[in-house]
Amino acid sequence: MKLFIKYMVSLRCKMIVKEELANLGLRPSKVELGVVEVKDHVSDELREKIRINLSKCGLELLEDRTSILIEQIKGVVIEMIHYSDEAPKVNYSDYISEKLNYDYTYLSNVFSKVKGITIQQFIIMNKIERVKELLMYDEMNLTEISYKLNYSSVAHLSNQFKKITGLSPSFFKQTRHERSNLEAF
C-alpha cells in the first residue's frame, strides 16, 4: 500500500516518517520523497493515527488524487535537482513524464491549475535554491554549478539567478560571506 505525504521534501523528512511509522508498528518497504510503501494493510483507524502523528511533525497525509499528483511532481523535481548527482539525460518534461507515467501536458495543466505556476517555473525556483546552497558551501565555482544543474552557460545561470533573487550570484555569495563573518563575532 502506498501512502502519499505532503511537505516531505528532504532526507530529514524521510527519517522522521520512518520513525513515526515505526512508532506505530509499521515497517515501510520503500521511502521516497512524498511516497511511502508499506506491505501491511493500513486500516482506517491506523491511517488516522498516521495522519495525527505526521501532522505533529508538519507533514500531511494526502487522500485526493490531485493533491497526490501535485506532490509527486514536486517530489520528482526536488529529487532531480537537490539529490541527484547528475542532470537527467533527457529534458525535464520527458523525465517527469517518464517517472510518473503521465503525459506531460496533463501534468503541466494540473500543476498550473492548482499551484498557479508552471512546472518549469517550479523547476527554475528549485534550481536557484540549489545554486544558493552550492554557493554557500563554497566548494564549486559558478562554471561547475552551471554544469551540474544543466544550464547552457554561466551567463544563463547568472541571468536567471538575478531575475529570481534580484542579485548576481557573486554579490549573493559576497553578502552571505560578510554576514557569516559578522555572526562569528
Side-chain angles (χ1 to χ4, degrees):
M1 168 177 241
K2 286 187 179 182
L3 301 172
F4 297 92
I5 303 170
K6 189 172 184 176
Y7 307 120
M8 189 175 166
V9 296
S10 69
L11 299 177
R12 181 161 166 67
C13 291
K14 287 169 74 170
M15 290 176 16
I16 290 170
V17 169
K18 284 181 188 176
E19 186 177 312
E20 290 301 325
L21 292 177
N23 290 343
L24 294 171
L26 293 171
R27 289 187 312 258
S29 58
K30 189 174 187 182
V31 179
E32 295 178 353
L33 295 179
V35 183
V36 176
E37 286 185 27
V38 292
K39 291 181 180 176
D40 309 308
H41 171 72
V42 178
S43 66
D44 290 342
E45 182 181 326
L46 184 55
R47 182 180 282 282
E48 187 58 28
K49 287 179 182 177
I50 293 169
R51 181 186 325 286
I52 291 167
N53 286 12
L54 291 178
S55 70
K56 290 176 185 175
C57 302
L59 302 171
E60 184 180 322
L61 191 61
L62 296 172
E63 299 293 332
D64 73 276
R65 289 182 169 269
T66 302
S67 295
I68 290 169
L69 187 57
I70 296 299
E71 288 306 307
Q72 287 179 308
I73 295 167
K74 289 167 57 177
V76 168
V77 170
I78 290 167
E79 191 168 305
M80 174 178 64
I81 293 169
H82 293 274
Y83 300 108
S84 179
D85 285 335
E86 52 183 74
K89 303 285 186 243
V90 296
N91 65 34
Y92 292 132
S93 57
D94 290 341
Y95 180 80
I96 294 166
S97 183
E98 286 172 21
K99 284 291 257 187
L100 299 178
N101 294 317
Y102 281 98
D103 177 67
Y104 184 77
T105 303
Y106 171 73
L107 294 173
S108 180
N109 289 337
V110 170
F111 192 88
S112 296
K113 183 178 177 184
V114 173
K115 300 303 288 178
I117 61 171
T118 65
I119 293 175
Q120 187 61 35
Q121 289 169 318
F122 185 73
I123 290 169
I124 291 168
M125 290 171 22
N126 274 275
K127 285 174 80 171
I128 296 305
E129 284 305 310
R130 184 69 176 135
V131 171
K132 288 180 188 178
E133 290 172 11
L134 293 170
L135 286 171
M136 295 285 291
Y137 296 146
D138 209 19
E139 294 173 0
M140 301 172 89
N141 64 38
L142 214 47
T143 303
E144 294 167 326
I145 293 171
S146 71
Y147 178 77
K148 179 178 180 65
L149 294 177
N150 208 24
Y151 278 95
S152 58
S153 67
V154 174
H156 182 220
L157 181 154
S158 295
N159 289 337
Q160 209 169 63
F161 190 94
K162 185 159 188 160
K163 186 177 179 182
I164 300 293
T165 66
L167 305 171
S168 70
S170 56
F171 188 74
F172 173 83
K173 187 175 180 176
Q174 178 186 346
T175 57
R176 287 294 185 187
H177 284 297
E178 288 172 4
R179 280 190 192 151
S180 62
N181 288 342
L182 288 175
E183 291 171 1
F185 289 105

